[in-house]
């Protein structure tokens, strides 16, 4: 460093934070050799404050805009000349820190892990995540500088945001537990919960020189196990409401519901691709619906009478003795009184009447299988002619 450079540094007289980075909260002015010229001019722009640290102590805090004159023991030129042999370094160390005191809006926050508490209504453990935003601003630059900043040259906004988020997590769990809101009531009470939390954590930040404001819970969700429990409760509540609704339906409502269901079935049957069979089913169901609803009473009675007339008759047969028409399953003829011979055959040995298909005669006890005298082939009992050679079995 030349002598001229030393003179040039001593002539530096205006100190200002120009175009501050929007993500920086505190910035240290980088002076030359830590020297400040006596009566240097300090410019503080709107939304800024300046902290003047001289010989290790905070000597002044300027927290409003303006032009200020600084007083130090570093006299221009004289300091440079007297310190020439010490590489232009002065023992009078001075630093300027600029602080942004504007409101920092829309700072995002979120729980790092689900908040655990017991649902006061349904009595099951809840794991809930919460998200939102808040604002903050520095209220006491001196206290904030001494408690948090110390000798840091740069302090980003994110550092303070992390401090706030870390300190609201434990109170947040307490607020949810003390509020006694069920999981289903949390969203509609978010403003109340936000207000309670702000009041609870305010004493935490005041000693650090800043204030949190406009804290908001914007959204909540649940961990997987809690969501499964909630889904089960929702299903059961839906079933209970359906049963309750059915209990409030009167007979007229039930009849209307039945009519609609029958119409749906009729439309389905009419659209069946089985042709006339489907149409017949649809017609039958439609007529049944009309009779159930009180429609077409005459038609309903007519169809009933026709159905009765169209019922199949009892099978009839002729009496084997007198030829009268009798029921096929009658045991005796009502005309001549003789036994009904339908389903009866003659024994191949004694010619007694036995039941068709019997293997032995009930009178002579002989088997009913016989052999043809002409070809000696077995023939069924009661056969009049041999199916093999045509021999007359009655001779």
């Amino acid at each position: 460093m030349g002598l001229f450079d030393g003179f040039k540094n001593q002539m530096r007289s205006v100190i200002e934070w120009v175009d501050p980075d929007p993500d920086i909260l505190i910035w240290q002015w980088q002076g030359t050799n830590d020297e400040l010229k006596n009566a240097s001019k300090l410019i503080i722009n709107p939304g800024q404050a300046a902290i003047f640290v001289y010989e290790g102590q905070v000597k002044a805090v300027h927290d409003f805009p303006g032009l200020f004159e600084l007083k130090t023991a570093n006299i221009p030129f004289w300091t440079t000349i007297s310190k020439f042999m010490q590489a232009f370094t002065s023992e009078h160390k001075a630093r300027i820190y600029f602080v942004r005191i504007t409101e920092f809006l829309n700072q995002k926050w979120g729980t790092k892990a689900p908040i655990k508490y017991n649902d006061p209504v349904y009595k099951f453990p809840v794991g809930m995540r919460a998200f939102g935003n808040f604002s903050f601003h520095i209220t006491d630059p001196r206290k904030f500088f001494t408690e948090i900043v110390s000798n840091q040259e740069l302090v980003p906004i994110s550092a303070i945001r992390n401090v706030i988020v870390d300190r609201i997590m434990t109170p947040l769990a307490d607020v949810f537990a003390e509020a006694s809101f069920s999981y289903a009531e949390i969203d509609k009470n978010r403003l109340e919960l936000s207000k309670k939390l702000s009041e609870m954590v305010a004493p935490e930040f005041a000693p650090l020189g800043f204030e949190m404001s406009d804290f908001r819970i914007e959204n909540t969700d649940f961990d997987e196990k809690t969501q499964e429990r909630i889904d089960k409760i929702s299903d059961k509540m839906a079933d209970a409401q359906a049963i309750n609704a059915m209990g409030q339906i009167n007979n007229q409502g039930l009849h209307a519901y039945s009519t609609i269901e029958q119409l749906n079935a009729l439309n389905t049957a009419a659209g069946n691709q089985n042709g006339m069979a489907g149409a017949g089913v649809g017609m039958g169901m439609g007529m049944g619906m009309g009779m159930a609803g009180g429609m077409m009473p005459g038609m309903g009675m007519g169809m009933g009478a026709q159905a009765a007339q169209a019922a199949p008759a009892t099978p009839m047969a002729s009496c084997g003795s007198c030829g009268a028409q009798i029921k096929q399953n009658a045991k005796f003829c009502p005309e001549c009184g003789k036994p009904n011979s339908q389903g009866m055959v003659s024994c191949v040995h004694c010619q007694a009447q036995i039941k068709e298909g019997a293997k032995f005669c009930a009178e002579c006890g002989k088997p009913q299988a016989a052999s043809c005298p002409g070809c000696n082939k077995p023939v069924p009992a009661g056969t009049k002619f041999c199916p093999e050679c045509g021999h007359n079995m009655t001779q």
Side-chain angles (χ1 to χ4, degrees), residues 201-244:
V201 300
E204 296 279 339
F205 303 133
L208 301 178
F210 65 92
E211 179 180 279
M212 182 187 71
S213 60
D214 197 29
F215 178 84
R216 294 177 181 270
I217 301 173
E218 296 292 340
N219 191 21
T220 59
D221 65 11
F222 303 95
D223 61 15
E224 185 176 352
K225 290 185 178 180
T226 303
Q227 191 61 53
E228 290 177 357
R229 298 186 184 104
I230 292 173
D231 291 342
K232 290 180 180 179
I233 292 175
S234 298
D235 291 342
K236 292 185 181 299
M237 290 179 64
D239 292 342
Q241 291 175 358
I243 293 172
N244 183 55

Side-chain angles (χ1 to χ4, degrees), residues 80-108:
T80 299
I81 295 173
S82 64
K83 299 300 178 183
F84 181 77
M85 299 302 298
Q86 287 81 29
F88 301 96
T89 300
S90 171
E91 70 275 11
H92 300 286
K93 304 293 183 181
R95 294 182 178 87
I96 298 291
Y97 292 88
F98 286 92
V99 183
R100 294 176 63 184
I101 57 175
T102 55
E103 189 87 8
F104 296 97
L105 305 175
N106 199 30
Q107 301 298 305
K108 302 296 183 182

